[in-house]
Amino acid sequence: MKKTLVALAVIAVSGTAFAQSTVTLSGTFGSAYQSYDSTAAGVVTTNKGLAPVTDASIKATVVEDLGGGLKVTAAGQFAMNASRGGNLTKEDSSVALAGGFGTIAFTSTRSSDTAIAANVFASWTPITAFYATVSSRSAGDLFSYTSPAIIPGLNVGISQFEATEGVTTSAVKVTTLSASYVNGPLRILAAQKSTSGLTAAQIAAGSKDSNTELAAIYNLGFATVGLGFDGSTTSDATSHLSKNMTSYGISIPMGAITIGVNGAKRGKSDFYDAGINYDLSKRTSVRLNMGKMTGGTNNGNQTRVGIFHTF
């Protein structure tokens, strides 16, 4: 459970009006032993050893009640692992305004793939590039709007993503129409993406200007399962992205132990990622993950075992 440092910090916003702000810190600390081997362009890379303070990060979230049903939420993350450079990164910052009209948000993040939501098992694999064998991601800026519930459980949204961060704007923009439906144990996600600003070279290489992504997640009680679909993102028959992608996941809790597996396949490229999580407490757990990727530009195996604490 997240620890609230300032429960009700009263901040004056006018001579007579006041708003309540809540500041929350959350994060993860952990250490692990990990190993992986990867083959790309005929070159084999192997890494084995300790990974102290791996996946470590601290996130600050500020929520301010503006009154009248309006609420502002802002967040930034300080990451302490080497891949983040130990700095506050724009990829983890956001500000959102929510009210009866829905939610408007500005976020510095990474491009997403709805189909990957089907990977329901909480994985802690060391090399995230294993997912890139079937679905690529890039850093950028996102503007989004999410509606209030149209009918119970159903929300729709529209967003625009630019794969360039900061003050500059990207020529290539991805506009997404999305919908999510939640009814008891069932969750369904859908996204229709349209890309504009593709160069002649990108079009000639087969990049498409539209793409459909779907995911369905169901809690069976004894297990949670997920299935996903992602239409091909290019018509270039020489690229693995010219094939549709299917994804799946299962997570089975058994008291303090949770076992599960994630996977996805696009053409000849596929990966799976299996693991066992053992909870020592509500916040501390020992985790073992093993995975394999084949058929893509990177092929190999990965293993990680470690102890992690979240708060």
Side-chain angles (χ1 to χ4, degrees):
M1 180 179 294
K2 298 178 180 178
K3 293 182 178 179
T4 303
L5 296 185
V6 182
L8 294 174
V10 181
I11 302 174
V13 295
S14 69
T16 58
F18 293 86
Q20 295 179 338
S21 293
T22 301
V23 180
T24 303
L25 287 184
S26 61
T28 299
F29 291 93
S31 294
Y33 174 86
Q34 65 185 37
S35 69
Y36 71 89
D37 61 83
S38 174
T39 303
V43 178
V44 178
T45 301
T46 301
N47 182 287
K48 297 181 180 181
L50 296 175
V53 200
T54 185
D55 296 296
S57 65
I58 299 176
K59 185 175 183 178
T61 304
V62 182
V63 180
E64 183 177 13
D65 184 354
L66 301 178
L70 293 177
K71 180 175 67 176
V72 170
T73 302
Q77 183 162 314
F78 180 84
M80 302 176 67
N81 52 343
S83 63
R84 288 293 195 183
N87 300 312
L88 179 66
T89 63
K90 280 185 81 274
E91 287 191 32
D92 300 302
S93 63
S94 63
V95 60
L97 176 65
F101 57 86
T103 302
I104 297 173
F106 296 87
T107 309
S108 289
T109 182
R110 299 181 69 196
S111 57
S112 62
D113 191 325
T114 301
I116 294 298
N119 294 155
V120 295
F121 179 63
S123 171
W124 293 74
T125 49
I127 305 299
T128 57
F130 275 47
Y131 288 79
T133 193
V134 294
S135 179
S136 61
R137 301 179 67 192
S138 59
D141 295 325
L142 178 72
F143 169 74
S144 63
Y145 166 75
T146 304
S147 75
I150 298 176
I151 60 174
L154 176 63
N155 299 83
V156 298
I158 183 171
S159 65
Q160 179 172 291
F161 179 82
E162 297 187 7
T164 302
E165 296 182 282
V167 296
T168 60
T169 59
S170 172
V172 178
K173 306 178 191 300
V174 180
T175 301
T176 302
L177 297 176
S178 61
S180 65
Y181 177 71
V182 179
N183 185 356
L186 175 64
R187 184 183 179 204
I188 298 175
L189 306 173
Q192 178 62 45
K193 295 181 176 179
S194 299
T195 304
S196 62
L198 293 171
T199 65
Q202 289 172 318
I203 294 174
S207 295
K208 288 188 174 181
D209 59 5
S210 65
N211 189 48
T212 301
E213 300 169 356
L214 300 168
I217 301 164
Y218 195 86
N219 187 338
L220 298 167
F222 65 90
T224 299
V225 296
L227 291 173
F229 170 84
D230 178 358
S232 62
T233 59
T234 175
S235 57
D236 180 4
T238 63
S239 170
H240 73 285
L241 295 177
S242 65
K243 307 297 183 181
N244 295 334
M245 181 182 78
T246 55
S247 56
Y248 61 89
I250 182 170
S251 180
I252 305 174
M254 298 180 294
I257 297 175
T258 300
I259 62 174
V261 62
N262 296 323
K265 181 176 178 61
R266 189 192 294 274
K268 295 181 179 180
S269 302
D270 64 72
F271 82 88
Y272 76 84
D273 178 21
I276 301 174
N277 299 339
Y278 178 71
D279 294 329
L280 301 174
S281 69
K282 290 183 178 180
R283 299 177 183 174
T284 303
S285 61
V286 177
R287 308 189 179 203
L288 168 65
N289 286 97
M290 297 175 290
K292 184 179 182 66
M293 58 182 178
T294 59
T297 55
N298 291 286
N299 301 287
N301 302 276
Q302 58 180 347
T303 301
R304 168 182 282 185
V305 59
I307 184 168
F308 300 86
H309 177 82
T310 60
F311 63 93

